[in-house]
Structure formats: structure tokens, C-alpha cells
Amino acid sequence: MNCATQLAARVASNDDWLKECKNKHRIVELENAGFARQTRVSARLTLREVARRMGISAMHLSDLERGNRHWTQETVAAWGKALQREKAMP
């Protein structure tokens, strides 16, 4: 096997590894999004209400809950506070 063939095999292997990692990451993102939506619905909160409490648009929260946007530390913290307010209310 010559150097070019070896490099091509390594690149192909790396591409496969990257695709696998991206797929696993996407699955985790979708699981997290589903968990967030299910938790909100279980708390009997509307998407608009939670988005308002978080200080983001309803469309942004919808995208997060469908896995079309990435959760950041800031959005997770805001989401947690928005849900905690519901528990504190009588």
C-alpha cells in the first residue's frame, strides 16, 4: 500500500468516525429537546409562557424543543428558572 492509499484510508476512516459522532450528537440533542418539551407540557405550561419567562421568542423555544437549535448554558439556565417559577406559584 503506497502513502497516498494509506492516507486515503485514514481520511475515509476519520470521515466515518466524524459522521458517527455527529449522528450520536444529533440523537442526544433530540433526546434533550424531547425531555424539555415533555417537562414543559407536564408542568402544564404553554410554549409562549415559558418563552416569555425565558426572555426568548416562542419560535426560538419551539426550535430548541424540536432539536433545531442548540441549547446553551444560558438557555438551559433560563429554562430552569422559568419552570421553577411555576413550582413557586400557589
Side-chain angles (χ1 to χ4, degrees), residues 7-84:
L7 180 58
R10 285 179 181 223
V11 169
S13 176
N14 189 48
D15 286 348
D16 290 343
W17 178 80
L18 284 173
K19 286 177 188 174
E20 183 180 334
C21 287
K22 286 180 182 179
N23 289 337
K24 287 180 182 178
H25 179 73
R26 181 69 180 145
I27 289 167
V28 170
E29 281 184 340
L30 291 172
E31 289 172 350
N32 290 342
F35 172 80
R37 182 179 190 283
Q38 187 177 28
T39 302
R40 176 185 58 77
V41 170
S42 294
R44 295 183 179 163
L45 292 168
T46 66
L47 186 126
R48 289 180 193 269
E49 177 61 19
V50 173
R52 184 187 65 75
R53 292 178 184 186
M54 290 176 68
I56 63 174
S57 71
M59 180 63 77
H60 187 143
L61 181 56
S62 177
D63 284 345
L64 288 167
E65 289 186 353
R66 288 182 287 128
N68 294 333
R69 284 197 186 210
H70 300 288
W71 287 86
T72 64
Q73 294 297 328
E74 293 81 18
T75 54
V76 170
W79 179 80
K81 287 180 184 177
L83 293 181
Q84 283 179 345

